Amino acid sequence: MSGTQAKASPSDIRISNITAAFEQLFPATQMSRANIGKLIGLSRFTTSEVTGEMVDNRILRELGPDNREGRGKRSQVLAIDTDFWRIVSVDLSNPMLVKGALADLSGRIVDRTELPVDHGCSVNDVIDLCRQLISSTPLPTLGIGIAVTGIVEPNGVVRKSVHLGWSELPLKTEVENATGVPVIVGNDTNAALVAERFFGDCSPNSMLISIGRGVGAALCLNDVIIEGSSFTAGEIAHVVVDPNGPICECGKQGCLESFVSGDRLQQRISQDPAARTHILTEAGALLGRVMAIPAGLLDLRDISVYGAPEIVNTQFIDAMENEISRTVTTDYQEAPQIHRCRQGEDLTLRGQATIVIRTLVPTIHERGSLIGEA
Ligand SMILES: [Zn+2]
């Protein structure tokens, strides 16, 4: 790093002001212009200029003057404008069924569609679904978000998705070239955590653990999703937790996945239905024990667990919570709260739409022609 700090350009300042104002209102807060200015530390004039531009660009809408008592001009109440921009969100976490949706600027799903892909999902399937959703509305598309199971690089290349049988696939470039719309590709567990953060139980320092065919995690620290040095943060399935455990399909012995994946637990329960409660309690406790070190290390507030309700049930969550509480709590550190993720199947779609919204809203002014056309 250089010793002198580069001066922020007017365009950087504009972007950071828009971002700050948007964060006060996303997803569904109503607030007066005066209060927004106070909270983000801008003068009355600058707040008026920033929010005025956001209203012109259909990011915010005016709800009318506030009913403040006393002297002085009453301040306009603002909220996110959900009647204009649309976001296409695609969930590729099920390799046999591509799910797509249109979301509004508050991250709410307003329309959805599905495409069965019995022979596996191709890039053309994804492009077809995106085109179908874009043409289903007269409103302009802000961007496309695609959530993929696997390792995704920041440039939108899917480095590896065992699930989809893809490697080194430049998904972002291919879908952008075909649709002419900005595309953001990300990991599906990260998208799920973003949804839990904005619409569920997670705070700025939290983790989401997804239990399905395998087991994966996503981590959020101070409201930043952590990708790691090679974009594989959260890939915990094949970390060995018991060197004497069962042989895993990856060749190692005692991987986390061989103890707590949904598939593995379903299989054990079907072999011994009477032991169901015991199996789930044991698995929850193991997960609590394994997560105690990251929870203490990072001072996490919340861990949300997503999975089929017959696996991630009350017994599983209670066992995990008891174990993590017992092992982490001291007189100076609290254990995180463990939540069963209560959001339904839209979790990933809403999360990926939210990532698109938060990334692209600050530069919406560059899309001026779309605002004029609609
Ligand atoms: Zn393994």
Side-chain angles (χ1 to χ4, degrees):
M1 277 197 293
S2 74
T4 52
Q5 211 177 353
K7 203 160 174 258
S9 72
S11 127
D12 292 342
I13 294 169
R14 180 189 197 182
I15 288 172
S16 95
N17 288 342
I18 292 171
T19 305
F22 190 75
E23 296 210 326
Q24 298 304 319
L25 300 175
F26 184 84
T29 302
Q30 300 181 358
M31 196 184 286
S32 72
R33 185 170 279 154
N35 274 343
I36 295 172
K38 258 182 236 158
L39 285 169
I40 64 178
L42 293 182
S43 71
R44 195 175 177 151
F45 175 78
T46 310
T47 309
S48 198
E49 199 179 53
V50 169
T51 55
E53 181 189 323
M54 291 171 83
V55 170
D56 291 345
N57 288 335
R58 304 295 306 266
I59 302 170
L60 303 183
R61 65 198 167 100
E62 296 179 330
L63 301 176
D66 65 1
N67 39 28
R68 188 164 45 125
E69 302 277 324
R71 299 170 61 192
K73 195 165 166 254
R74 295 206 296 169
S75 178
Q76 193 63 231
V77 176
L78 297 166
I80 288 175
D81 187 344
T82 54
D83 293 335
F84 190 70
W85 295 101
R86 290 292 176 260
I87 296 90
V88 169
S89 190
V90 179
D91 175 4
L92 300 181
S93 54
N94 180 344
M96 295 295 145
L97 184 72
V98 181
K99 289 196 283 184
L102 281 179
D104 67 22
L105 216 49
S106 71
R108 192 174 60 96
I109 303 290
V110 293
D111 195 9
R112 72 190 73 227
T113 184
E114 289 180 350
L115 180 70
V117 281
D118 303 334
H119 305 292
C121 175
S122 71
V123 176
N124 283 334
D125 293 327
V126 177
I127 290 170
D128 286 347
L129 192 83
C130 290
R131 284 186 172 140
Q132 190 189 324
L133 284 161
I134 290 168
S135 61
S136 70
T137 172
L139 296 171
T141 306
L142 175 67
I144 297 172
I146 307 173
V148 179
T149 306
I151 298 159
V152 182
E153 296 179 4
N155 58 4
V157 171
V158 179
R159 190 196 300 160
K160 183 88 187 155
S161 174
V162 176
H163 221 62
L164 293 159
W166 292 352
S167 60
E168 302 300 337
L169 179 77
L171 186 60
K172 172 187 161 79
T173 308
E174 294 201 15
V175 180
E176 276 181 352
N177 289 345
T179 60
V181 174
V183 174
I184 297 177
V185 183
N187 171 273
D188 57 350
T189 313
N190 287 349
L193 176 54
V194 169
E196 266 299 83
R197 167 70 188 101
F198 289 100
F199 311 109
D201 292 317
C202 281
S203 58
N205 289 285
S206 52
M207 184 189 284
L208 180 129
I209 300 171
S210 170
I211 294 180
R213 279 182 201 87
V215 54
L219 179 65
C220 176
L221 296 178
N222 296 333
D223 257 342
V224 175
I225 296 285
I226 304 300
E227 312 243 23
S229 57
S230 58
F231 320 111
T232 63
E235 298 289 331
I236 54 173
H238 298 285
V239 175
V240 173
V241 295
D242 177 0
N244 301 314
I247 303 281
C248 177
E249 59 186 25
C250 76
K252 293 198 283 189
Q253 200 174 345
C255 295
L256 181 62
E257 182 170 298
S258 44
F259 293 99
V260 298
S261 79
D263 281 8
R264 177 71 189 130
L265 292 171
Q266 297 275 21
Q267 190 192 2
R268 283 184 61 199
I269 291 166
S270 65
Q271 284 162 358
D272 187 2
R276 174 187 194 90
T277 300
H278 172 72
I279 290 168
L280 294 177
T281 305
E282 194 183 61
L286 174 81
L287 193 58
R289 196 151 57 247
V290 166
M291 288 304 159
I293 288 288
L297 181 71
L298 303 169
D299 193 13
L300 298 178
R301 272 292 40 84
D302 300 284
I303 298 181
S304 227
V305 187
Y306 179 72
E310 66 273 19
I311 295 292
V312 183
N313 63 5
T314 309
Q315 285 125 9
F316 185 100
I317 292 291
D318 286 352
M320 183 177 172
E321 179 136 46
N322 289 340
E323 186 65 18
I324 208 161
S325 166
R326 189 177 70 78
T327 50
V328 171
T329 309
T330 59
D331 54 4
Y332 51 83
Q333 191 173 42
E334 266 180 63
Q337 302 261 340
I338 310 296
H339 313 275
R340 186 162 60 81
C341 179
R342 290 173 299 167
Q343 299 191 66
E345 289 184 13
D346 287 345
L347 181 73
T348 307
L349 288 170
R350 292 189 84 188
Q352 195 63 30
T354 299
I355 292 168
V356 171
I357 293 165
R358 287 165 50 82
T359 308
L360 297 181
V361 153
T363 53
I364 267 181
H365 52 273
E366 292 165 8
R367 315 278 297 281
S369 63
L370 284 174
I371 300 164
E373 277 164 26

